[in-house]
């Protein structure tokens, strides 16, 4: 999923090509799973005629500062990406839009045309991102709850060593906690630990000063090197574990050494046992899935692990619309689906190693009114009037229309 380098590359591209320009046209997708807390028409109206003054980022969140609030705010989820027509922003395999594809893309959730003809689009093929309008994004959750940004606000080495000495959980689990350091996700955590020769399950409190210093250095180096190549993963250094971390066990190697895979805090970790030795006892429960902790801890998606009212409202609404079936109930199928619907961009995969459905749907920004969910993927044009449509009930997973049960 997009992590700090990918989001920072997008921010820099907007700064270079979009700042100082006026929004002439806006198209917002009618997708309440991604567009959070506001109707497409109201969102569009708030953008028209505004000038983009700057682009900001903290962790894996980005927002555009306009000449007056509110400001568009983006959390990239698992496949969110910024595209500027004719400009190469970043090469992220799950979000690539080809030059010969329709424009704006059918996966576009936020599209604006600027006064000089430049087009800016935010796409999300898998629909785990969040786009909303906020008066002051940095002052409200989830951004206000993020820890220091790994690139912009690095801890001093002495402070870093002292803080690690107080943490008794697995070091990788700690790095993924966005309230501790923001911007580090699964691939960066694996890479910095490999470069520092630290086992992902090593208790943070047991790390030597030398190991803490090596980790502190590798965090900065990995992020900076990724940004040097514009977050284009195909240009990452050849000696990075990144290039083999998604290969099958027994076929994954880096510099001739075999990569093993284990679970740390509910996430798959790639490491090299020959170089990353585990010393002492592993932290307790580090291999189990993280429990919801009422927002005290933030996962690597940059939001509190407390299911949002938005999701609860949507789930309740969908449940109420279902009538009780007559006759004997059928045993639900246990067969997992693994296909991504290419027509509407919905994600029908079972839980994977990057993030579970709950992790990617946990957001505290905005609220969705019950009974207002509409057809996914349809774009609103601020210059056109809307026609009322017949009421339908969407599926809670894919957003597809289905008839009400009689």
């Amino acid at each position: 999923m997009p992590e700090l380098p990918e989001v920072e590359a997008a921010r820099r591209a907007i700064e270079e090509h979009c700042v100082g320009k006026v929004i002439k046209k806006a198209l917002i997708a009618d997708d309440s799973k991604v567009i959070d807390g506001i109707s497409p028409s109201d969102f569009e109206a708030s953008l028209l005629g505004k000038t983009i003054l700057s682009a900001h980022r903290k962790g894996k969140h980005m927002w555009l500062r306009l000449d007056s609030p509110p400001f568009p705010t983006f959390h990239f989820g698992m496949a969110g990406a910024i595209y500027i027509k004719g400009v190469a922003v970043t090469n992220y395999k799950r979000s690539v839009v080809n030059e010969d594809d329709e424009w704006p893309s059918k996966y576009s959730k936020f599209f604006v045309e600027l006064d000089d003809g430049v087009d800016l689009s935010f796409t999300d093929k898998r629909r785990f991102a969040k786009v909303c309008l906020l008066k002051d994004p940095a002052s409200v959750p989830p951004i206000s709850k993020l820890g220091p940004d790994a690139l912009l606000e690095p801890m001093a080495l002495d402070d870093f060593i002292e803080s690690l000495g107080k943490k008794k959980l697995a070091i990788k689990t700690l790095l993924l906690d966005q309230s501790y350091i923001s911007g580090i996700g699964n691939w960066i955590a694996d890479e910095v630990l490999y470069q520092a020769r630290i086992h992902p399950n090593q208790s943070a409190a047991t790390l030597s000063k030398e190991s803490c210093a090596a980790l502190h250095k590798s965090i900065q180096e990995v992020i900076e090197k990724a940004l040097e190549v514009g977050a284009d993963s195909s240009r990452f250094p050849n000696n990075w574990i990144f290039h083999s971390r998604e290969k099958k066990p027994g076929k994954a190697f880096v510099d001739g050494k075999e990569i093993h895979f284990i679970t740390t805090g509910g996430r798959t970790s790639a490491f090299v046992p020959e170089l990353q030795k585990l010393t002492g006892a592993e932290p307790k429960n580090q291999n189990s899935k993280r429990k919801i902790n009422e927002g005290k801890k933030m996962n690597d998606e940059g939001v509190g692990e407390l299911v949002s009212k938005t999701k609860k409202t949507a789930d309740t609404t969908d449940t109420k619309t279902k009538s009780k079936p007559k006759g004997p109930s059928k045993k639900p199928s246990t067969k997992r689906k693994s296909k991504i619907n290419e027509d509407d961009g919905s994600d029908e995969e079972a839980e994977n190693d990057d993030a579970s459905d709950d992790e990617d749907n946990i957001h505290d920004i905005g609220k969705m009114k019950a009974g207002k969910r509409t057809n996914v993927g349809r774009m609103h044009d601020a210059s056109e009037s809307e026609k009322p449509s017949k009421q339908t009930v969407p599926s809670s997973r894919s957003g597809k229309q289905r008839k009400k049960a009689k």
Side-chain angles (χ1 to χ4, degrees):
M1 64 184 67
E3 300 181 20
L4 189 157
E6 290 86 359
V7 181
E8 176 63 14
R11 187 201 68 79
R12 292 181 181 183
I14 292 174
E15 282 277 351
E16 181 179 355
H17 299 281
C18 303
V19 166
K21 300 174 183 179
V22 179
I23 297 174
K24 180 181 177 181
K25 182 179 181 180
L27 295 169
I28 303 299
D30 190 359
D31 184 354
S32 57
K33 183 179 178 182
V34 177
I35 307 300
D36 200 6
I38 185 171
S39 70
S41 58
D42 288 343
F43 202 137
E44 292 163 350
S46 72
L47 298 175
L48 292 176
K50 298 287 185 67
T51 300
I52 299 175
L53 300 182
S54 56
H56 301 264
R57 180 196 58 77
K58 184 164 187 179
K60 290 179 278 184
H61 296 257
M62 186 187 75
W63 64 98
L64 305 182
R65 189 166 191 83
L66 309 179
D67 52 5
S68 64
F71 307 131
T73 306
F74 308 84
H75 180 269
F76 284 53
M78 292 181 72
I82 287 289
Y83 290 95
I84 301 173
K85 193 171 185 180
V87 176
V89 177
T90 180
N91 181 19
Y92 183 65
K93 65 180 181 179
R94 285 184 180 157
S95 55
V96 173
V97 172
N98 298 319
E99 292 183 0
D100 56 351
D101 289 348
E102 62 180 309
W103 183 262
S105 167
K106 62 182 177 181
Y107 302 119
S108 179
K109 306 301 177 181
F110 171 99
F111 173 88
V112 293
E113 179 183 324
L114 306 180
D115 58 354
D116 67 344
V118 170
D119 292 344
L120 168 66
S121 175
F122 177 83
T123 67
D124 181 23
K125 185 174 182 178
R126 301 186 71 185
R127 302 178 60 235
F128 284 125
K130 287 291 179 183
V131 182
C132 63
L133 283 174
L134 297 174
K135 290 184 178 180
D136 186 6
S139 68
V140 295
I143 298 176
S144 64
K145 293 185 177 181
L146 296 175
D149 185 85
L151 174 67
L152 304 176
E153 307 163 303
M155 288 188 195
L157 178 56
D158 290 342
D159 294 338
F160 186 62
I161 294 173
E162 182 180 357
S163 69
L164 291 179
K166 299 176 182 178
K167 308 293 184 179
K168 296 183 179 180
L169 68 166
I171 183 60
K172 180 173 178 180
T173 302
L174 179 62
L175 292 176
L176 295 180
D177 181 358
Q178 299 299 291
S179 65
Y180 180 66
I181 298 176
S182 61
I184 296 178
N186 210 29
W187 81 255
I188 292 181
D190 281 351
E191 195 62 56
V192 299
L193 291 172
Y194 168 68
Q195 298 296 334
R197 304 302 192 247
I198 298 172
H199 194 288
N201 288 350
Q202 187 71 45
S203 170
T206 65
L207 291 173
S208 66
K209 288 185 178 181
E210 291 75 18
S211 291
C212 291
L215 179 58
H216 185 271
K217 180 181 179 181
S218 68
I219 290 173
Q220 295 303 307
E221 289 183 346
V222 166
I223 291 174
E224 289 173 0
K225 286 181 180 178
L227 286 171
E228 284 177 8
V229 295
D232 182 347
S233 59
S234 67
R235 297 168 61 195
F236 288 172
N238 293 330
N239 64 344
W240 278 17
I241 200 172
F242 175 90
H243 298 291
S244 299
R245 62 187 301 273
E246 294 188 2
K247 293 182 180 179
K248 294 182 179 180
K251 296 183 178 180
F253 294 85
V254 57
D255 282 347
K257 296 178 174 58
E258 186 175 3
I259 299 171
H260 287 206
F261 301 90
I262 56 174
T263 301
T264 306
R267 307 297 296 277
T268 295
S269 296
F271 76 111
V272 178
E274 187 177 341
L275 301 176
Q276 298 169 262
K277 305 289 186 180
L278 179 63
T279 60
E282 294 185 13
K284 292 182 179 180
N285 299 324
Q286 68 84 28
N287 279 332
S288 61
K289 284 189 177 180
R290 289 166 292 163
K291 297 181 179 180
I292 293 176
N293 193 24
E294 297 299 319
K296 292 182 180 179
K297 178 182 173 183
M298 302 182 78
N299 62 26
D300 69 324
E301 284 303 287
V303 289
E305 287 194 319
L306 180 63
V307 177
S308 68
K309 293 181 181 179
T310 296
K311 185 174 186 298
K312 287 182 178 179
T313 302
D315 290 343
T316 303
T317 303
D318 193 58
T319 301
K320 287 182 179 179
T321 59
K322 296 179 181 179
S323 61
K324 188 175 181 180
K326 296 180 181 180
S329 59
K330 295 182 179 180
K331 185 177 180 180
S333 172
T334 58
K335 183 178 180 181
R336 290 188 172 188
K337 296 181 179 180
S338 60
K339 178 182 178 182
I340 297 177
N341 189 314
E342 296 296 334
D343 292 328
D344 60 11
S346 62
D347 183 279
E348 299 182 63
E349 290 186 334
E351 178 179 283
N352 57 31
D353 291 327
D354 282 332
S356 66
D357 290 346
D358 285 343
E359 287 175 329
D360 284 294
N361 283 298
I362 298 168
H363 292 271
D364 293 323
I365 44 181
K367 296 181 180 179
M368 180 173 62
K369 294 181 180 180
K372 296 292 184 180
R373 302 182 73 186
T374 53
N375 188 34
V376 173
R378 182 167 56 85
M379 300 293 289
H380 281 252
D381 188 333
S383 62
E384 298 178 359
S385 60
E386 299 177 9
K387 295 181 180 180
S389 58
K390 294 182 180 180
Q391 184 178 5
T392 55
V393 181
S395 165
S396 61
R397 286 287 294 169
S398 66
K400 292 182 179 179
Q401 304 283 340
R402 59 179 172 80
K403 296 180 181 178
K404 283 188 177 180
K406 295 183 179 180

